[in-house]
Amino acid sequence: MKKTKLLTAIALAIGISTLAGCGGSSSTAPSPTSLLGSAFKGPIDQAMTKITDATGNELASATSNQGKFELDNMTLPTDTEAVFIETQGGSFTDEATGEKVTPSGGLMSVFTVAELKDIIANRQVIALTPETTLMATLVKQMITDGKTASEAIAAAKAQVQTQLIDGTSPIAGIPGDTLFLIGDLSAPTPADQSEALARNRSISFSYEAQTMNLTPVQVFELIEKRALDMQDGTLDGMQNGTTPITITDKDGTVKPLGADQKTKYALERTRLFNNTIARLGRGDLSDNELQALQQLGVDTDFFMQQNQNNQTAAANTKNNLAATDLPAFNHLPVLQDEDGDPTDAKGTYTLTAESNVNVTVKAPGESWITPMLRYNQSQLPPVIKAKRGDQMTLTLVNNLEIDPTDAQKNESTIHWHGFKIPGDQDGGPDFPVAAGATKTYSFPMLQPAASLWFHPHPDLKTGEQVYGGLAGVYLLDDAINQQLVADNKLPAGDYDIPIVFQGRRFKDDNDGDGVRELLYMDMEMDMDGMLGDKILVNGAVLPKLDVETRQYRLRLYNTSNARSFDFALSDGTNDNIPFKVIGTDGGLLPSPVDVDHIMLGVAERAEIVIDFSNYTVGDKLMLISKGFSGSAMMGMPGMGGNNMDGNNMGGNNMGGNNMGGNNMGGNNMGGNNMGGNGMGGNNMGGNNMGGNNMGGNNMGGNGMGGNGMGGGNMPGMLANGQRMDLMRFDVTTAATDPVT
């Protein structure tokens, strides 16, 4: 198989042209006085290209060929003047939609005569892009306002760089994300990082137009409006700081450009970035694109290996569907209200944090004992059920080991994740509970029904204690949910099941005593955010759940320290079996959403409904995590797939959602953490529905007993984004489903 068919890659949407890169409008060698250039919003083919002086006098013209043009036989004005190069007409293929576009406007750039003479003498190729068009438009205005050509060009360059480009790169730490004036953007591959990033920026304008519901040709109108916005020196959506600038979309809706244009531009650069990930994952890249990735320093061997692992895992799904040694699914234990009256609007619970609870972990064909941290010495994470309006009283008893030499060593708390409660009742790092001490939390539940959870949040120990096993599920009910259940609109009771996913890694049983301790913060896991190589699903590895031919409501909890999951259903052949999403972190959606996968980053939740009535007794389905690129920095020099400190790349949690213990930022101390606040500072925000890939979230591999992933896994780990089987649904009973 070709190399390019094996990539699973970085979101490096460099938008490389696959055109032949024709050398211009003349078949002969260019004369020493000719100006070579490339027009890239495409490239633009058959565009009339001309060079004019500052007063608009035409000095030369030519027609572009596959984006390349050559302007010859011109007489340049004096060295103190500005000269403008611009295109009109022609056509290009819009990268966001694939449509062929005949532009109503064009691209432009500007140089002083002295600069242009040097460019011609050195046989350099100038570049025309949306950003150079912004710059040239600003220069025209500045010259009109009295600036000299050199002053105007310098000021306009700086303005475009600072107001639009700086801080929007989809790959942090990569140099060269600067205004691009010299280079052949019509060539098959970029010459360097700067050129590759320039292509990314140019194409992002089309992605931005698509998001704004503009027609592809309106990208030129967007450029014009943005230039108008920048003329007062600030990219704020206002003309002269007073008049809102608007644009009318293809449906006739008038939309403001807005003050957040730079943020939106950054998001589109990242979306383009992520779309390239998907293409790399499908092996849908040309050799030119592969070379461009390598020029940017991407470790393509890393992605080739990851994609091979994904293919091996996909093939292994059929084996796991037929396996007879999968452990039974564990239902989580529900804690009983301690006040003795289950009917009142109160809840009283005690959560005792214990060390060294011997937990039995079952996996296909084997089991072992692992000492873990647990609440109430339970084998599994506990479940608390409550209703909106309940007054909760929850006591943490910290029975973790006391270290007489370090009073802070085993401090703990309970952070009520997703709860809208008073800040002083949310167990953040500012409210530690010492080992041997007790704290009671008391608050009313004043929010809609939702799948919430709780976990420790002590300073610098969050990741370690959650990884060790301290976590629990909190199911909040309300009148709306109860009515939906009563009306048979939602599955309930035995058909409403919380499922907790936890990436973990275990030491070998070298002593043969059946005990395998947890591995925490060894070198590889520290580098990659505590990914683990086994996924505990309600405490078991690759369990099977017997189901009836009816609908099930499954509440998916990603309580891993670093891994993300792209949940999907597979029958071994089709990985795109539809299901419904009915809720996310904040509660029920207004209506069900039909999807075939959903991405969850660390600490995020989703409620889904799977309809097994479409199957017959004996059928089996696998819940998988689809392969994806787990980090924007995976495969970059020295990164090796490292989650980059939880960097939220343009809103996409790029695999760095690391609970790893440093609970900085994102920890909503006020308790109003309604939207899935991540662990260790990763603010997870909302769940994206359907195909809205949250970027970079990955499911590292299930250690599946004897049914390992095989195929050359990453050294000592499974990368974030590795495809994997999570649990199996076995249709064992025919039933009539009352839920509609």
Side-chain angles (χ1 to χ4, degrees):
M1 180 174 289
K2 289 179 65 178
K3 262 180 137 183
T4 54
K5 296 296 180 185
L6 296 175
L7 292 177
T8 290
I10 194 166
L12 201 48
I14 52 180
I16 297 165
S17 166
T18 57
L19 298 171
C22 184
S25 58
S26 171
S27 60
T28 61
S31 68
T33 59
S34 63
L35 173 65
L36 300 178
S38 60
F40 194 80
K41 184 69 228 80
I44 302 178
D45 189 35
Q46 297 301 303
M48 176 58 66
T49 308
K50 62 181 180 179
I51 181 168
T52 63
D53 61 20
T55 61
N57 295 320
E58 184 176 309
L59 307 177
S61 64
T63 302
S64 69
N65 184 354
Q66 301 289 342
K68 194 76 166 282
F69 59 84
E70 176 185 348
L71 295 164
D72 202 0
N73 300 320
M74 56 187 165
T75 301
L76 295 175
T78 65
D79 289 355
T80 59
E81 294 188 18
V83 284
F84 295 85
I85 307 94
E86 57 185 304
T87 68
Q88 288 292 329
S91 65
F92 69 95
T93 300
D94 181 72
E95 297 90 350
T97 64
E99 297 180 28
K100 186 173 182 178
V101 178
T102 300
S104 56
L107 300 177
M108 185 164 43
S109 191
V110 62
F111 299 91
T112 65
V113 172
E115 289 173 332
L116 208 58
K117 286 181 177 178
D118 287 341
I119 290 169
I120 292 171
N122 293 322
R123 311 310 301 137
Q124 293 175 305
V125 181
I126 66 170
L128 274 60
T129 68
E131 292 161 326
T132 65
T133 306
L134 291 174
M135 179 196 73
T137 305
L138 292 173
V139 168
K140 283 189 175 183
Q141 181 63 44
M142 291 176 183
I143 290 176
T144 301
D145 292 341
K147 286 185 182 293
T148 67
S150 348
E151 290 171 342
I153 291 172
K157 283 181 182 178
Q159 190 170 334
V160 173
Q161 182 68 43
T162 57
Q163 294 195 29
L164 188 66
I165 298 175
D166 287 349
T168 65
S169 175
I171 25 177
I174 297 298
D177 199 30
T178 56
L179 182 62
F180 190 79
L181 298 171
I182 305 295
D184 185 3
L185 293 178
S186 67
T189 59
D192 53 30
Q193 289 176 337
S194 294
E195 190 170 317
L197 290 165
R199 296 180 191 222
N200 167 268
R201 295 195 303 270
S202 180
I203 296 170
S204 294
F205 274 81
S206 288
Y207 272 66
E208 190 174 5
Q210 182 189 44
T211 297
M212 295 175 69
N213 196 37
L214 307 179
T215 62
V217 74
Q218 283 185 277
V219 69
F220 290 92
E221 184 181 358
L222 176 61
I223 296 169
E224 293 172 3
K225 298 276 189 177
R226 184 156 288 160
L228 178 65
D229 185 355
M230 296 177 73
Q231 284 181 0
D232 62 2
T234 306
L235 185 64
D236 59 0
M238 307 290 284
Q239 183 177 1
N240 298 322
T242 58
T243 306
I245 300 174
T246 62
I247 192 167
T248 303
D249 70 10
K250 61 185 178 183
D251 295 328
T253 303
V254 178
K255 296 183 174 180
L257 252 59
D260 58 348
Q261 291 176 72
K262 187 171 183 177
T263 299
K264 292 177 179 177
Y265 181 63
L267 290 171
E268 295 307 330
R269 294 189 67 184
T270 300
R271 181 162 74 99
L272 175 57
F273 206 81
N274 290 342
N275 285 354
T276 302
I277 292 180
R279 292 183 53 224
L280 288 165
R282 297 192 299 267
D284 187 21
L285 287 182
S286 69
D287 289 337
N288 287 335
E289 291 171 311
L290 174 59
Q291 292 172 24
L293 288 173
Q294 293 168 339
Q295 289 171 357
L296 278 155
V298 177
D299 181 1
T300 54
D301 289 340
F302 175 90
F303 298 111
M304 291 166 60
Q305 180 67 73
Q306 188 180 12
N307 198 33
Q308 182 61 60
N309 291 348
N310 286 338
Q311 293 181 32
T312 302
N316 201 42
T317 296
K318 291 184 178 180
N319 296 332
N320 287 328
L321 284 168
T324 59
D325 59 353
L326 272 59
F329 178 84
N330 297 316
H331 290 274
L332 301 181
V334 178
L335 297 184
Q336 297 301 308
D337 187 351
E338 298 169 7
D339 68 8
D341 185 354
T343 64
D344 64 4
K346 297 180 180 179
T348 304
Y349 296 90
T350 300
L351 293 163
T352 302
E354 302 276 3
S355 304
N356 297 315
V357 177
N358 286 330
V359 175
T360 300
V361 178
K362 295 183 178 180
E366 62 175 335
S367 66
W368 61 86
I369 300 295
T370 297
M372 293 189 188
L373 306 180
R374 279 291 191 256
Y375 289 120
N376 300 355
Q377 296 192 348
S378 174
Q379 285 285 298
L380 299 168
V383 176
I384 293 175
K385 293 186 176 183
K387 298 185 295 296
R388 185 173 190 172
D390 282 1
Q391 178 66 39
M392 302 302 298
T393 302
L394 305 115
T395 299
L396 168 63
V397 179
N398 185 357
N399 274 359
L400 301 181
E401 296 173 346
I402 298 174
D403 187 339
T405 66
D406 184 356
Q408 295 180 321
K409 181 175 182 180
N410 282 323
E411 289 179 342
S412 193
T413 72
I414 297 182
H415 167 58
W416 305 101
H417 196 113
F419 289 53
K420 186 174 183 178
I421 58 177
D424 62 357
Q425 295 303 305
D426 187 37
D430 288 346
F431 303 100
V433 181
T438 297
K439 177 179 175 63
T440 296
Y441 302 92
S442 180
F443 48 79
M445 298 307 304
L446 301 176
Q447 63 192 86
S451 297
L452 311 174
W453 69 299
F454 53 91
H455 60 83
H457 219 317
D459 187 33
L460 301 180
K461 292 292 184 178
T462 300
E464 182 178 354
Q465 291 189 11
V466 176
Y467 188 86
L470 290 181
V473 168
Y474 191 104
L475 302 182
L476 180 62
D477 200 1
D478 67 5
I480 294 175
N481 184 74
Q482 291 169 354
Q483 189 63 54
L484 289 168
V485 169
D487 293 342
N488 285 323
K489 298 289 182 66
L490 284 178
D494 293 341
Y495 309 99
D496 179 358
I497 304 173
I499 308 177
V500 173
F501 299 86
Q502 299 168 307
R504 296 294 181 265
R505 192 173 181 188
F506 300 86
K507 296 180 182 178
D508 294 331
D509 179 12
N510 294 323
D511 297 332
D513 59 359
V515 175
R516 298 181 61 184
E517 295 180 345
L518 285 171
L519 267 173
Y520 183 73
M521 298 299 278
D522 68 321
M523 181 185 298
E524 289 164 346
M525 296 182 73
D526 186 17
M527 287 171 56
D528 291 283
M530 300 302 299
L531 296 175
D533 62 354
K534 298 193 186 315
I535 306 302
L536 298 184
V537 181
N538 281 12
V541 179
L542 196 61
K544 62 181 181 70
L545 173 65
D546 293 343
V547 297
E548 302 173 9
T549 56
R550 55 166 294 156
Q551 296 173 82
Y552 281 72
R553 177 181 185 176
L554 305 178
R555 302 175 187 247
L556 309 181
Y557 283 75
N558 180 8
T559 67
S560 299
N561 282 57
R563 289 200 178 278
S564 301
F565 300 85
D566 191 3
F567 292 103
L569 293 171
S570 176
D571 60 8
T573 302
N574 179 14
D575 290 353
N576 301 302
I577 296 171
F579 56 92
K580 295 181 185 299
V581 175
I582 62 168
T584 58
D585 295 17
L588 292 173
L589 300 174
S591 60
V593 178
D594 292 312
V595 302
D596 57 22
H597 71 118
I598 182 171
M599 182 78 73
L600 294 185
V602 171
E604 289 188 318
R605 291 86 67 203
E607 298 182 33
I608 69 172
V609 171
I610 301 176
D611 189 355
F612 295 104
S613 67
N614 300 319
Y615 299 90
T616 59
V617 172
D619 288 341
K620 296 178 175 63
L621 280 182
M622 190 70 69
L623 182 67
I624 67 169
S625 180
K626 302 178 79 169
F628 57 88
S629 178
S631 168
M633 300 308 291
M634 288 174 64
M636 299 306 292
M639 302 302 177
N642 297 329
N643 300 322
M644 295 298 291
D645 299 326
N647 291 324
N648 189 316
M649 308 295 281
N652 301 301
N653 296 324
M654 304 296 288
N657 304 318
N658 188 334
M659 272 178 70
N662 296 316
N663 42 358
M664 319 283 294
N667 305 317
N668 192 321
M669 293 303 298
N672 299 317
N673 40 5
M674 296 293 294
N677 301 303
M679 327 275 258
N682 300 303
N683 192 324
M684 310 307 296
N687 300 307
N688 45 346
M689 295 289 95
N692 295 326
N693 192 318
M694 281 192 70
N697 296 316
N698 103 355
M699 261 326 280
N702 275 326
M704 290 176 281
N707 300 319
M709 291 296 196
N713 296 328
M714 305 298 154
M717 57 159 280
L718 288 168
N720 207 4
Q722 189 73 54
R723 187 194 193 278
M724 56 170 32
D725 295 345
L726 298 173
M727 65 175 291
R728 194 175 78 189
F729 300 103
D730 291 11
V731 182
T732 59
T733 307
T736 300
D737 189 359
V739 175
T740 58

